[in-house]
């Protein structure tokens, strides 16, 4: 019962299901599978109508309408845009009613009752794509249709046959979709848990990039702001206080950054004592969040044991310039923020360094403004080595001075 309550309380959304299919690169396969099922559903009333088993001409028209509707849905899924949630729900209900009416049109009551088995395909579709309430509606329709056929079968074949067939129908059209949805929910919960860092509760590396990519796809404008937050002198904390205290420090850092930046920010632990953040901010308005994160880590608190600070690197780029880059685009920004973070380390730690926004130049050499082209130009890579951040992050710029020719800005925090 606890599993059923958990599944009922879960937020199962149609758009999330579609997005999950797209992210795994199986959209075409899934579209063709749904289209094939719809095509087969359309074949059933068509075959019944040509078999001569219907109750008369009016019923032939019903069978024809059901076939056309199913074939149209197959074409929509195979070649058209993926239907919206409302259109999908409308199809499920209309197809349910078409199957029930088509089954009632069959002159052979036993064959008509078995025609209700086709409801199981719609039930599986609803269980995978839609919410618990849509599945509940599907179950109610299936049970109501089965109840209509019970007396018809009883009068024609006796109560034993009516009981056998109704039991089969209940199992495949009412119980199966509930079992499918519970199974999908359990797998989804396991998948979500696998994307979290057990120690800190934020995303692990895989979960961080996966969630960041989803946020990037959903963004309609603004800047993608990436932070890399690295706890200062973490090895010394472990050496002096022990790894148990070090674990509490990591958990405290994750909690402070998450709370300071709010639920919209995607926070992940991407290294031992290194955290990354992706947030969508208004254009030009995202640089301050690095200092917010640094100040949050340094805010102190008894839950972490020793006082801690962090060095923070910030990188940003317009959403429109990197949306098509996917995970690779986010990795480039993380790399730039990582280099800026190392520059903050060299400048005394407990500081925020903001990497420059990549700019491009016209053929005549003039500055053409912030880069909005391919992601490859957003973060040119330097050579490797301990000083590799120097070409990305030049010296600090004082507030109020001309920073047009500088590559970054340093916001120093209080010295330790």
């Amino acid at each position: 019962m606890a599993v059923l309550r958990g599944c009922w309380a879960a937020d199962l959304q149609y758009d999330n299901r579609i997005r999950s299919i797209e992210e795994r690169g199986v959209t075409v396969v899934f579209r063709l599978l749904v289209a094939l099922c719809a095509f087969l559903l359309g074949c059933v009333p068509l075959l019944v109508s040509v078999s001569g088993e219907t109750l008369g001409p009016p019923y032939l028209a019903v069978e024809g309408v059901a076939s056309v509707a199913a074939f149209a849905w197959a074409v929509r899924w195979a070649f058209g845009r993926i239907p919206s949630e409302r259109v999908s729900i409308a199809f499920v209900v209309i197809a349910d009613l078409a199957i029930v009416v088509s089954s009632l049109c069959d002159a052979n009551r036993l064959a008509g009752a078995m025609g209700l088995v086709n409801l199981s395909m719609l039930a599986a579709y609803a269980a995978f794509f839609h919410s618990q309430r849509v599945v509940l509606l599907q179950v109610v329709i299936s049970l109501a249709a089965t109840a209509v056929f019970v007396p018809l079968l009883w009068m024609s074949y006796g109560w034993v046959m009516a009981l056998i067939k109704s039991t089969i129908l209940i199992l495949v059209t009412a119980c199966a979709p509930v079992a499918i949805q519970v199974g999908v929910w359990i797998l989804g919960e396991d998948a979500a848990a696998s994307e979290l860092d057990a120690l800190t509760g934020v995303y692990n590396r895989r979960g961080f990039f996966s969630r960041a990519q989803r946020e990037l796809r959903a963004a309609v404008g603004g800047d993608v702001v990436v932070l890399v937050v690295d706890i200062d002198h973490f090895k010394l904390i472990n050496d002096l206080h022990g790894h148990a205290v070090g674990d509490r420090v990591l958990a405290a850092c994750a909690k402070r950054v998450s709370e300071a930046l709010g639920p919209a920010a995607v926070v992940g632990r991407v290294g031992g004592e290194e955290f990354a953040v992706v947030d969508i901010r208004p254009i030009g308005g995202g640089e301050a969040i690095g200092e917010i994160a640094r100040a949050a880590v340094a805010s102190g608190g008894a839950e972490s044991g020793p006082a801690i600070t962090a060095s923070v690197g910030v990188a940003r780029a317009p959403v429109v310039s990197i949306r098509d880059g996917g995970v690779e685009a986010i990795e480039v920004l993380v790399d730039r923020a990582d280099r800026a973070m190392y520059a903050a380390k060299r400048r005394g730690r407990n500081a925020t360094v903001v990497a420059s926004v990549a700019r491009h130049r016209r053929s005549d050499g003039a500055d053409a403004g912030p880069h909005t082209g391919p992601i490859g130009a957003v973060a040119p890579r330097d050579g490797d080595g301990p000083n590799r951040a120097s070409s990305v992050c030049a010296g600090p710029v004082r507030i109020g001075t001309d920073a047009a020719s500088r590559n970054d800005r340093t916001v120093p925090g209080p010295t330790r």
Side-chain angles (χ1 to χ4, degrees):
M1 292 302 295
V3 172
L4 290 176
R5 287 195 298 269
C7 180
W8 180 259
D11 187 16
L12 304 178
Q13 297 182 353
Y14 178 82
D15 291 340
N16 290 341
R17 293 282 190 265
I18 298 297
R19 191 179 301 116
S20 177
I21 293 171
E22 292 173 343
E23 289 174 354
R24 285 159 177 78
V26 294
T27 305
V28 174
V29 174
F30 217 94
R31 285 166 68 103
L32 292 177
L33 180 61
V34 175
L36 176 61
C37 291
F39 175 78
L40 294 176
L41 280 176
C43 290
V44 172
L46 184 63
L47 293 173
V48 171
S49 64
V50 300
S51 68
E53 293 292 333
T54 57
L55 297 175
Y59 300 96
L60 287 174
V62 173
E63 301 283 8
V65 170
S67 292
V68 170
F71 292 150
W73 188 249
V75 172
R76 172 68 181 271
W77 263 94
F79 304 108
R81 294 179 57 187
I82 293 180
S84 66
E85 182 176 12
R86 288 185 178 182
V87 171
S88 181
I89 294 174
F91 167 76
V92 170
V93 175
I94 292 172
D96 280 337
L97 297 178
I99 289 173
V100 173
V101 174
S102 177
S103 297
L104 289 171
C105 292
D106 200 316
N108 186 323
R109 291 306 185 188
L110 185 59
M114 289 300 95
L116 294 181
V117 172
N118 291 312
L119 292 173
S120 61
M121 278 198 283
L122 290 169
Y125 174 88
F128 183 84
F129 281 106
H130 290 292
S131 68
Q132 304 88 331
R133 288 168 177 78
V134 176
V135 174
L136 179 60
L137 176 62
Q138 174 70 34
V139 169
V140 169
I141 293 175
S142 298
L143 292 177
T146 301
V148 169
F149 267 93
V150 167
L152 298 177
L153 292 173
W154 195 324
M155 288 185 295
S156 300
Y157 302 98
W159 69 270
V160 175
M161 183 62 70
L163 180 61
I164 293 173
K165 299 304 180 183
S166 61
T167 301
I168 293 174
L169 290 175
I170 291 172
L171 286 174
V172 300
T173 65
C175 296
V178 175
I180 291 172
Q181 189 163 69
V182 171
V184 169
W185 172 75
I186 291 174
L187 292 175
E189 290 290 295
D190 289 344
S194 71
E195 292 187 341
L196 297 178
D197 178 59
L199 177 62
T200 62
V202 298
Y203 289 102
N204 57 28
R205 187 177 184 86
R206 182 172 69 88
F208 170 77
F209 282 104
S210 176
R211 176 59 188 274
Q213 183 182 22
R214 293 197 295 270
E215 293 296 321
L216 180 59
R217 286 183 175 180
V220 295
D223 281 348
V224 180
V225 181
V226 174
L227 311 182
V228 170
V229 181
D230 191 272
I231 300 174
D232 295 328
H233 301 297
F234 184 72
K235 184 178 184 302
L236 185 61
I237 293 174
N238 273 335
D239 292 343
L240 293 178
H241 302 280
H243 289 280
V245 173
D247 288 348
R248 292 201 299 271
V249 166
L250 290 171
C253 180
K255 179 181 179 182
R256 293 174 190 175
V257 171
S258 298
E259 291 179 349
L261 299 184
V266 180
V267 182
R269 184 185 175 198
V270 295
E273 68 272 18
E274 190 171 277
F275 297 86
V277 180
V278 167
D279 201 2
I280 309 298
R281 295 278 173 147
I283 294 178
E287 296 178 351
I289 71 171
E291 181 61 9
I292 293 173
R294 184 208 62 77
V297 175
S299 62
E303 79 278 7
S304 66
I308 58 174
T309 61
S311 300
V312 181
V314 184
R316 64 183 178 90
V319 168
V320 294
S321 70
I322 71 168
R323 180 184 282 118
D324 295 335
V327 170
E328 292 80 6
I330 298 169
E331 288 176 341
V332 168
L333 287 177
V334 170
D335 181 66
R336 292 184 60 227
D338 190 61
R339 300 180 187 197
M341 180 273 294
Y342 277 110
K345 292 283 189 185
R346 289 195 298 273
R347 295 171 192 174
R349 297 179 171 82
N350 193 23
T352 300
V353 170
V354 182
S356 63
V357 177
R359 306 179 77 84
H360 68 291
R361 294 188 177 276
R362 302 198 303 258
S363 58
D364 60 2
D367 188 355
H371 174 80
T372 57
I375 183 60
V378 172
R381 298 182 66 87
D382 323 308
D384 295 327
N387 295 321
R388 65 192 179 106
S390 59
S391 62
V392 177
C393 304
V397 178
R398 296 180 182 276
I399 296 176
T401 61
D402 182 10
S405 62
R406 310 300 297 218
N407 289 328
D408 63 51
R409 290 181 296 159
T410 300
V411 185
T415 57
R416 292 183 58 182

